[in-house]
Amino acid sequence: MRSLVLIAAMVALSACSQGADETPAPADTTDAAAVPAETADAAGGTTSALAAEDAAGTYTVTWADGTITSTTINDDGTYVDMMEGEETAHGVWAVKEGKSCLTPEGGAELCWTDSAPGADGSWTATADDGTTVTVVKADTATS
């Protein structure tokens, strides 16, 4: 199965899971989820590719091989990954140390570092293992 993400600072996206049908525990929202994940902008300041307070929504994720998946982040700190209309993973999401971290039910946490968003609203998310994807929030995508 393939890893899926979002970002951080995003989104965006995590490893597929063959976990049990238990409901995932809510994400810890005390510290990490309340802090926006930030990336440096051209002026040396910071800009959030995906701030925790506005992270809810559906993101389109394009993998290096051209595969397109989606990740939906819910207001309660949970997420669902989809590919071709089928759920591939679900779990909890939080921003930790400036990274978007997704933990699929029954799986290991995978954290992503996001680039600054481009003019079209998309950004590159790079997983700790070096995997890169392009992420864009579905309602900000341009044709």
Side-chain angles (χ1 to χ4, degrees):
M1 294 197 177
R2 79 180 300 142
S3 294
L4 177 66
V5 180
L6 244 205
I7 32 193
M10 81 73 342
V11 153
L13 316 177
S14 77
C16 294
S17 172
Q18 299 269 343
D21 289 329
E22 297 177 13
T23 302
D28 178 277
T29 58
T30 54
D31 294 327
V35 177
E38 299 176 330
T39 56
D41 65 16
T46 57
T47 183
S48 294
L50 181 67
E53 63 272 5
D54 65 0
T58 298
Y59 298 82
T60 300
V61 181
T62 304
W63 297 84
D65 66 1
T67 300
I68 297 175
T69 61
S70 69
T71 296
T72 299
I73 295 178
N74 302 305
D75 287 326
D76 66 357
T78 60
Y79 77 94
V80 176
D81 289 335
M82 303 287 289
M83 186 167 83
E84 298 178 356
E86 298 290 325
E87 181 180 312
T88 58
H90 64 272
V92 294
W93 171 88
V95 175
K96 296 180 179 179
E97 298 178 4
K99 297 181 181 184
S100 296
C101 297
L102 294 102
T103 305
E105 186 175 304
E109 178 178 79
L110 182 61
C111 294
W112 299 75
T113 300
D114 300 327
S115 70
D120 65 353
S122 70
W123 67 91
T124 300
T126 304
D128 290 341
D129 69 2
T131 301
T132 61
V133 296
T134 300
V135 181
V136 65
K137 194 166 186 175
D139 62 359
T140 61
T142 59
S143 323

